[in-house]
């Protein structure tokens, strides 16, 4: 099973423990019979680094050996299976188990004290932390602690790790077989369109296997046309994720509707994404009228099929077939990644012959600054209620890289009212801290390096109706 184990290194030089931690954490999850792919973030730091985290998170001025921050409330011995609340990230399909922090300084000191290798100590701390993330605890000297200690030793022994023996295979470099690269022979542009909140951004991210578009349960999340690129074998797909077609309420809304209409033109195929409802609404009818005037293949993609019985899909297909003779109709679940291979196989038949438009390793045409800004806006949508997040814009005012590879990122969040500013900041800055922490973690995952993020909140009244401000924030429909 492929888990997403992200390992950050705060010490100098190259991290020598990445293969070890990857293998140990994977083995610990397997030993606990975790049946779904999980996400675990690991920070390897110094005594000073873990002391700072202890002070910030636990109000304890001490350099401990390991810290664990579970994301879920789990019962020991009952691993997550993806059915419980918050057990599955709809964007990544992963179970977010949580974070662990290990002091390499402390691990080295303890290894010397106990008379075994540093690797053995770090492996023990990693297993210990994984069990914490899975609900185990040792608050007392009773059965809880005994059970946890027994599981730790059993997992380590299964890995070939004891106080007297070290399994050298755990230190072997991680190697992935590189796929044989073939020249791209077919390349084309495919638009994803549909009403707000139908799952276009979730589908875009699922198709390319990377987070290039922000996702939210709230409608009108996407504001710009986002270009996502997937290169597979001889084919290069360029997907255009568009804002949902809706009735504009301000000039920003006018811009978003204009982006949709322009994105449907001059492409090689159109995917109309709809929900499994046996009724063709106004936005869908408007898009179908545009599709009818184009001489390109069109596919009706019925998303969210995991929310209905299969028998209900026939009525949906029948309703849309009366409106337009689609080239094909495909039921999928972008959230669960069901039907995506069939969709890509079909889309490949629409690609014209021609050279690739983007390098093979590129997944989007968006600059890194814009992606970082969008990630912050996604967290605003996630953390805030009602209209407030839709009245926000995000501007990156500083994006610089140090010689060490660390990114310094300064971000300004604009809102429309002073009362909104207070809500975004929260009591004693708690809400802004939550938004910033979530955003930083996602940006670090995207950039593959440590990020220092600073955020400010400013008021720009009625900016969504101010054409100059809309353009300053990057929303400009002029050719």
């Amino acid at each position: 099973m492929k888990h997403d184990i992200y390992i950050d290194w705060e010490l100098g030089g190259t991290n020598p423990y990445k293969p070890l931690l990857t293998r140990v954490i994977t083995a610990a999850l397997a030993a606990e019979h975790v049946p779904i792919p999980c996400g675990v973030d690991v920070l390897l730091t110094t005594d000073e680094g873990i002391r700072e985290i202890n002070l910030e998170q636990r109000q304890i001025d001490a350099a401990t050996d390991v810290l664990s921050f579970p994301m879920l409330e789990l019962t020991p011995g009952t691993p997550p299976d993806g059915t419980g609340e918050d057990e599955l990230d709809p964007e990544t399909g992963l179970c977010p188990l949580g974070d662990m922090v290990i002091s390499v300084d402390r691990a080295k000191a303890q290894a010397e004290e106990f008379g075994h290798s540093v690797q053995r100590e770090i492996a023990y701390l990693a297993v210990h932390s994984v069990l914490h993330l899975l609900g185990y605890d040792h608050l007392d000297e009773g059965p809880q602690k005994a059970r946890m200690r027994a599981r730790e030793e059993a997992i380590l022994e299964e890995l070939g790790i004891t106080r007297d023996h070290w399994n050298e295979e755990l230190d072997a470099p991680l190697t992935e077989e590189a796929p044989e690269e073939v020249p791209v022979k077919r390349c084309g542009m495919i638009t994803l369109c549909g009403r707000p909140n139908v799952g276009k951004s979730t589908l875009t991210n699922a198709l390319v296997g990377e987070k290039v578009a922000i996702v939210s349960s709230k409608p009108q999340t996407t504001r710009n046309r986002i270009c996502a690129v997937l290169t597979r074998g001889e084919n290069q797909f360029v997907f255009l994720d568009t804002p949902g077609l809706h009735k504009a309420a301000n000039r920003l809304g006018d811009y978003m509707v204009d982006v949709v209409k322009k994105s449907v033109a001059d492409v090689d195929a159109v995917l109309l994404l709809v929900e499994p409802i046996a009724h063709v609404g106004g936005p869908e009818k408007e898009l179908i009228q545009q599709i009818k005037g184009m001489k390109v293949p069109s596919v009706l993609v019925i998303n969210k099929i995991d929310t209905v019985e299969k028998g209900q899909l026939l009525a949906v297909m029948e309703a849309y077939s009366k409106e337009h003779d689609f080239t094909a109709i495909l039921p999928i679940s972008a959230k669960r990644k069901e039907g995506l291979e069939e969709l890509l196989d079909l889309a490949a038949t629409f690609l014209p012959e021609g050279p690739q438009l983007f390098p093979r390793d590129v997944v989007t045409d968006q600059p890194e600054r814009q992606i970082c800004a969008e990630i912050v806006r996604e967290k605003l949508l996630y953390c805030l209620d009602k209209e407030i997040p839709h009245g926000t814009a995000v501007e990156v005012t500083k994006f610089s890289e140090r010689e060490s590879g660390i990114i310094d990122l300064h971000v300004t969040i604009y809102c429309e009212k002073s009362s909104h500013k207070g809500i975004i900041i929260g009591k004693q800055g708690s809400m802004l801290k939550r938004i910033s922490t979530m955003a930083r973690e996602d940006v670090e995952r995207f950039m593959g390096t440590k990020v220092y993020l600073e955020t400010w909140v400013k008021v720009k009244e009625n900016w969504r109706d101010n054409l100059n401000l809309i353009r300053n924030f990057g929303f400009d429909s002029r050719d």
Side-chain angles (χ1 to χ4, degrees), residues 65-306:
D65 52 6
V66 64
L67 292 172
S68 306
F69 299 99
M71 291 288 288
L72 304 172
E73 293 185 9
L74 299 172
T75 301
T78 305
D81 60 7
T83 60
E85 186 178 359
D86 297 328
E87 282 192 3
L88 202 65
D89 187 326
E91 168 56 27
T92 64
L94 296 167
C95 173
L97 275 187
D99 303 343
M100 67 174 70
V101 183
I102 296 174
S103 167
V104 177
D105 291 343
R106 185 63 47 189
K108 289 179 178 178
Q110 290 176 177
E112 184 175 352
E113 178 185 347
F114 297 136
H116 54 233
S117 68
V118 177
Q119 290 98 321
R120 196 273 179 196
E121 187 65 20
I122 287 178
Y124 163 74
L125 294 175
V127 171
H128 181 86
S129 187
V130 167
L131 292 178
H132 272 313
L133 299 184
L134 292 173
Y136 287 84
D137 216 328
H138 51 81
L139 295 175
D140 53 42
E141 294 297 328
Q144 283 190 60
K145 184 172 183 177
R147 184 182 183 188
M148 186 171 179
R149 292 285 183 252
R151 290 304 302 142
E152 288 168 354
E153 291 304 321
I155 294 168
L156 291 169
E157 188 173 343
E158 195 172 321
L159 283 164
I161 304 172
T162 66
R163 292 191 182 275
D164 302 318
H165 178 264
W166 173 250
N167 180 2
E168 294 183 358
E169 293 181 3
L170 295 172
D171 281 326
L174 295 171
T175 56
E176 293 187 11
E177 205 171 304
E180 184 180 349
E181 190 168 307
V182 295
V184 171
K185 295 181 180 179
R186 298 162 65 88
C187 179
M189 304 186 74
I190 300 173
T191 282
L192 281 71
C193 59
R195 71 164 65 218
N197 205 31
V198 76
K200 297 183 296 298
S201 296
T202 300
L203 176 57
T204 300
N205 294 337
L207 287 171
V208 302
E210 293 275 356
K211 185 168 191 169
V212 297
I214 66 172
V215 176
S216 169
S217 60
K218 299 178 176 68
Q220 301 173 35
T221 298
T222 303
R223 289 173 174 171
N224 269 313
R225 185 183 73 178
I226 294 171
C227 176
V229 183
L230 172 64
T231 307
R232 298 211 319 179
E234 299 180 345
N235 299 320
Q236 184 170 83
F237 305 84
V238 181
F239 295 105
L240 305 179
D241 175 22
T242 64
L245 188 62
H246 63 286
K247 186 176 181 180
N250 46 52
R251 287 193 172 185
L252 177 61
D254 291 335
Y255 163 81
M256 292 161 64
V257 171
D258 191 48
V259 168
V260 178
K261 293 179 178 178
K262 288 182 178 180
S263 297
V264 175
D266 300 324
V267 293
D268 298 297
V270 177
L271 307 182
L272 175 59
L273 207 61
V274 301
E275 294 189 344
I277 301 171
H279 170 73
V280 184
E284 288 81 11
K285 287 185 177 181
E286 186 174 342
L287 286 168
I288 287 172
Q289 285 304 311
Q290 293 184 57
I291 291 170
K292 284 181 177 180
M294 303 166 64
K295 304 298 181 183
V296 297
S298 58
V299 180
L300 178 71
V301 181
I302 305 173
N303 192 24
K304 305 182 183 180
I305 61 170
D306 52 299

